[in-house]
Amino acid sequence: MPTEEIIVRGVVQGVGFRPFVWRLAQRLGIDGAVSNRGDAVVIVASGTPAALEALVHALRAEAPPLAQVDSVSREIVRPFAGHGFAIAASAPGTVSVGVVADIATCPACLAEMRDPDARRHRYAFTNCTDCGPRFSIVEGLPYDRATTTMRGFAMCPDCRAEYENPADRRFHAQPIACPACGPRLVPDGDDDPILAAAARLERGEILAIKGIGGFHIACDATNAASVAELRARKSRPAKPLAVMVRDRAMLEALCEVSAAEHAALARPSAPIVLLRMHPGAAIAPSVAPGQNRLGAMLPYTPLHHRLMEAMGRPLVMTSGNRSSEPQIFRDADALSGLAGIVDAFLTHDRPIARRLDDSVVQVAAGRLQVMRRGRGLAPVPRDLPSGFASAPPVLAMGGDLKSAICLTLGGKSLLSHHLGDLEEPATQDEFERALADHAALFAHQPAAIAIDLHPGYRPSRIGAEMAAERGLPLIAIQHHHAHIAATMAEHGWPLDGGRVIGVALDGLGLGEDGAIWGAEILLCDYRGSRRLAGLQPIPLAGGDAASREPWRVLLAHLDAVLGPDETPGDLFEGLPAATLRIMIARGLNAPLASSAGRLFDAMAALLGLAPARLGFEGQAAMALQAAAETAPDPQPPYPFATRTRNGLIAIDPAPMWRAALADRAAGTDVALIARRFHEGVAAVFVNLAASLAAEHGVRAAALSGGVFQNTLLLESVAAGLARGGLEVLLPEQVPANDGGLAFGQAAVAAARLLPV
């Protein structure tokens, strides 16, 4: 019989791949062995040529649900002398990622839970090789029960027999458990804590529920009084709350759900998906005040399935924390940190190794767009594009908001889960713990550290200190160049693939000229970028305060266009406009900035869609988008002017403001003004990007920046550029916001470390 060595690369460890190969070999009559080697699975297979062909085909076509097969290579080797097929001990080698993300309960385990004759009937911790906790319970590598938080639960004989049987779907499932030997719910004096919790929720109480990666705070999403009480206790007055629904039918009663959105909800990662709500949906209006979208998710653990079946109505499932603080994941912290917020706890005795927020996604331009990488999506490795394989390992630090770090090694990258906004001391502590955790867990020793160009960012300061202590190169990268590089690298744009036109629409980022940027067209490759066009800057009176109070930005914009005497005074009644004008005139804490994010905030303020002070980041822009989406399609775009000075094209919003003010004075519907604004922003950036691409002989455009989480804008810009004949690269698995910044920093730093 011919014998081949078959090497499978990708996400193939910790996902049941070796027992899968064993079962294929039994079916096809193949002798040999399978083992892990480094970050690949190696198969020695002896059989008929037809059997070997069938094996190779099945490796891709029938791979386990958590596996991702990137490549399969084959080589004829010396004939195999033995008989039978074995799962061999792993060979030595560096495992780049030896653990996969936490996975929602699979259909087989769900059916087992619901079977009255099964020994795991109604068991809240049922799992197998294809589902259950992974990254949230791992404390070290190699990924084995002894290095997880399951080590305190000794397997009973029945679980041990399943664990050791390659034919069983629980073969080497490290979280394997049953009622006789596994984790248990904390009773709190009730016979069935889940039924007791459902009864409390039905009575309007607020509960803390321990899931995978941390605690949630839950209440009945149809009970307006309960939702209002939750907001008051948590000090979260306006930010939308996520909702868990029992099933597809319950979801469709609340929201419009496309086939792509259903598919996103049903993914093994079980993310929160942003969906368009039905008008008058049977849910408390305060769940998502002023919004037309609802963040919804399906149950993803056996505990959640049982609770939702017992409850029979949607539940608010928001992060278990006090406002602005990290989600709580330790039991002792929950008891103290959630005191006064929740009325009771539904918890259990399986420890959580690390905090993982829920992932958040949406469908935009027909594609899945990740907005927050957390539970279910991290730690999934990504191959860097062609040309990066020999780059030295890099640690990229990301930014202050929506922070995440990225490690690279041997042509692969690992973007961390969402670590939070580093304005709070508790989140800063979590960030530094995550740095140590990732370095230890993945045995990563960087040869260089990449940071944002802004030296005041906390990750930039920490990165600079680390580089100095270790004697490593420190590579500072412009914020929006990193954003565009992230999109390029996600789509596999080769190192030698040439330049792209980058459209970066964002909040704020320090530019290479020392000014604050946030709305640019760049000419980029990985090693560098050149700014070709940008929004005309306006002063941000009060600095950071302007990001929280949109009226400040509106005042600056209108004064720049009309002058203080002509700016409508009714827009600023009761606000200290005179003080701000003095600050701007004297240049006191009023830095110039060209920010798309602040432009959207200002328009929302003009239309009365933004409060004087925002309750959360993005509140004004989200309300503006929601209004624009109710307008008939299409609408004529508002005009923008352009002029060139010193080789840079300045995008002047003055004509747009005059047209919007005229519409407002004429009593035009707010939705129409909001829609014309969106179309105007899209049109000016599409036209300029297409023109500049032609001028510089560029064939592709890459989009990124937090403003491109606006699906109306993203779809309009993407469609316009595609009509112009450009290949359009959109942010998908790597967030467009600062959650993807570290990935772009890592790609740029790696490119600069390679010889030209």
Side-chain angles (χ1 to χ4, degrees):
M1 294 285 190
T3 301
E4 294 186 12
E5 182 180 73
I6 303 168
I7 300 178
V8 187
R9 298 187 185 278
V11 181
V12 290
Q13 295 186 0
V15 295
F17 207 88
R18 289 182 298 159
F20 157 69
V21 173
W22 182 90
R23 291 190 289 271
L24 288 178
Q26 305 302 310
R27 187 177 87 196
L28 298 170
I30 289 174
D31 295 329
V34 59
S35 67
N36 288 331
R37 184 191 301 166
D39 58 358
V41 165
V42 178
I43 306 163
V44 176
S46 178
T48 66
L52 294 178
E53 289 296 331
L55 173 65
V56 170
H57 173 76
L59 291 174
R60 290 185 182 275
E62 302 176 30
L66 308 187
Q68 175 186 308
V69 177
D70 293 335
S71 67
V72 179
S73 62
R74 305 168 65 179
E75 181 182 357
I76 300 294
V77 295
R78 292 191 323 178
F80 182 72
H83 294 285
F85 196 89
I87 297 178
S90 298
T94 300
V95 179
S96 59
V97 179
V99 61
V100 295
D102 301 275
I103 302 301
T105 306
C106 71
C109 283
L110 196 55
E112 186 178 7
M113 271 180 57
R114 292 170 174 166
D115 180 358
D117 297 324
R119 68 189 187 90
R120 292 185 176 86
H121 178 230
R122 301 172 68 194
Y123 183 53
F125 305 95
T126 302
N127 66 81
C128 70
T129 308
D130 293 337
C131 69
R134 296 291 192 275
F135 191 44
S136 64
I137 62 171
V138 171
E139 295 181 314
L141 291 180
Y143 176 51
D144 188 61
R145 194 177 182 94
T147 56
T148 73
T149 62
M150 287 295 295
R151 66 180 177 275
F153 302 94
M155 280 184 255
C156 67
D158 288 334
C159 284
R160 174 64 66 181
E162 293 170 329
Y163 181 85
E164 294 176 350
N165 180 4
D168 195 284
R169 80 174 197 274
R170 292 192 168 91
F171 177 74
H172 282 193
Q174 305 306 337
I176 187 173
C178 76
C181 66
R184 299 183 180 185
L185 296 168
V186 175
D188 196 25
D190 298 304
D191 291 336
D192 188 329
I194 292 177
L195 295 181
R200 285 177 177 270
L201 291 164
E202 288 176 346
R203 291 198 298 267
E205 294 188 30
I206 298 168
L207 267 63
I209 298 174
K210 185 178 179 182
I212 288 179
F215 282 80
H216 284 109
I217 299 174
C219 73
D220 180 352
T222 67
N223 186 327
S226 292
V227 177
E229 182 65 18
L230 184 154
R231 286 194 176 280
R233 293 183 188 181
K234 197 180 175 185
S235 300
R236 186 174 174 172
K239 190 172 183 179
L241 302 167
V243 167
M244 181 175 282
V245 295
R246 181 188 58 213
D247 53 25
R248 182 170 180 157
M250 183 180 286
L251 182 65
E252 289 179 341
L254 298 175
C255 301
E256 300 172 15
V257 193
S258 68
E261 289 164 339
H262 272 304
L265 286 155
R267 282 174 169 246
S269 52
I272 295 170
V273 181
L274 297 186
L275 304 167
R276 188 81 66 91
M277 277 190 290
H278 293 309
I283 197 166
S286 57
V287 169
Q291 306 298 321
N292 64 347
R293 279 177 165 76
L294 179 69
M297 59 181 157
L298 293 171
Y300 58 84
T301 72
L303 184 155
H304 290 125
H305 279 284
R306 284 205 55 210
L307 180 63
M308 294 307 300
E309 288 167 0
M311 184 70 186
R313 67 189 71 167
L315 290 177
V316 166
M317 281 280 182
T318 189
S319 294
N321 59 353
R322 294 187 182 275
S323 184
S324 302
E325 294 183 359
Q327 183 181 20
I328 292 171
F329 68 96
R330 297 182 181 93
D331 296 326
D333 293 341
L335 291 173
S336 59
L338 300 181
I341 297 178
V342 302
D343 299 308
F345 288 81
L346 176 58
T347 185
H348 56 78
D349 60 357
R350 182 179 65 206
I352 298 172
R354 63 184 50 76
R355 174 175 62 88
L356 289 167
D357 293 275
D358 293 314
S359 293
V360 180
V361 306
Q362 65 182 357
V363 174
R367 310 177 197 187
L368 190 71
Q369 184 184 40
V370 174
M371 305 173 75
R372 185 171 75 192
R373 281 171 52 87
R375 172 195 51 76
L377 294 181
V380 177
R382 301 190 64 86
D383 285 334
L384 290 170
S386 171
F388 283 90
S390 61
V394 171
L395 168 62
M397 303 295 287
D400 266 5
L401 299 180
K402 299 172 179 63
S403 64
I405 60 174
C406 186
L407 322 177
T408 72
L409 179 65
K412 288 188 177 292
S413 66
L414 183 73
L415 179 61
S416 79
H417 54 288
H418 169 78
L419 300 174
D421 295 345
L422 301 183
E423 296 172 340
E424 292 293 327
T427 312
Q428 295 171 34
D429 293 343
E430 286 292 321
F431 179 83
E432 298 200 37
R433 276 194 288 269
L435 280 172
D437 177 38
H438 279 67
L441 191 59
F442 303 115
H444 188 259
Q445 296 182 343
I449 295 177
I451 61 171
D452 190 90
L453 190 63
H454 197 308
Y457 282 178
R458 293 164 185 83
S460 296
R461 295 202 300 265
I462 294 169
E465 292 168 2
M466 290 174 64
E469 290 169 0
R470 303 181 190 186
L472 298 176
L474 183 69
I475 302 173
I477 298 157
Q478 200 278 320
H479 192 87
H480 301 106
H481 181 202
H483 271 308
I484 299 302
T487 302
M488 293 166 62
E490 175 182 358
H491 288 276
W493 191 265
L495 180 62
D496 61 358
R499 298 178 299 183
V500 306
I501 286 291
V503 182
L505 299 183
D506 198 27
L508 302 171
L510 183 65
E512 290 166 346
D513 60 357
I516 301 172
W517 298 356
E520 282 73 53
I521 297 176
L522 306 172
L523 184 64
C524 294
D525 59 17
Y526 288 110
R527 291 187 172 94
S529 71
R530 176 183 160 202
R531 191 185 191 210
L532 302 178
L535 189 67
Q536 184 157 319
I538 53 99
L540 296 182
D544 287 345
S547 297
R548 297 186 291 271
E549 299 180 0
W551 68 270
R552 294 172 180 256
V553 189
L554 178 63
L555 179 76
H557 270 292
L558 296 186
D559 278 3
V561 174
L562 305 174
D565 294 337
E566 298 298 324
T567 294
D570 64 298
L571 291 168
F572 308 102
E573 286 183 9
L575 298 170
T579 301
L580 258 68
R581 284 175 169 138
I582 293 171
M583 293 171 62
I584 291 171
R586 297 179 180 176
L588 299 174
N589 193 21
L592 292 174
S594 58
S595 168
R598 301 295 79 77
L599 182 70
F600 276 70
D601 288 350
M603 178 55 72
L606 175 71
L607 300 182
L609 298 173
R613 185 175 180 84
L614 298 180
F616 63 94
E617 185 194 15
Q619 181 180 4
M622 290 167 66
L624 185 67
Q625 178 186 344
E629 288 177 334
T630 65
D633 185 26
Q635 291 296 318
Y638 282 141
F640 284 72
T642 60
R643 68 177 188 277
T644 302
R645 183 176 181 182
N646 298 326
L648 178 71
I649 299 173
I651 302 168
D652 185 358
M656 179 276 295
W657 286 117
R658 290 192 180 95
L661 285 166
D663 276 352
R664 177 179 179 268
T668 302
D669 185 70
V670 164
L672 293 177
I673 298 174
R675 185 59 176 261
R676 293 190 68 190
F677 168 76
H678 276 78
E679 298 295 351
V681 173
V684 70
F685 278 93
V686 164
N687 293 337
L688 274 177
S691 173
L692 290 167
E695 178 183 338
H696 292 278
V698 170
R699 63 181 175 85
L703 313 185
S704 193
V707 175
F708 275 124
Q709 293 178 131
N710 181 318
T711 55
L712 183 61
L713 180 70
L714 177 76
E715 290 170 350
S716 185
V717 172
L721 292 173
R723 285 195 298 269
L726 289 169
E727 178 184 357
V728 183
L729 311 179
L730 302 180
E732 296 178 33
Q733 293 300 309
V734 176
N737 59 40
D738 283 5
L741 192 66
F743 181 63
Q745 292 172 347
V748 172
R752 291 180 182 175
L753 291 168
L754 288 166
V756 178

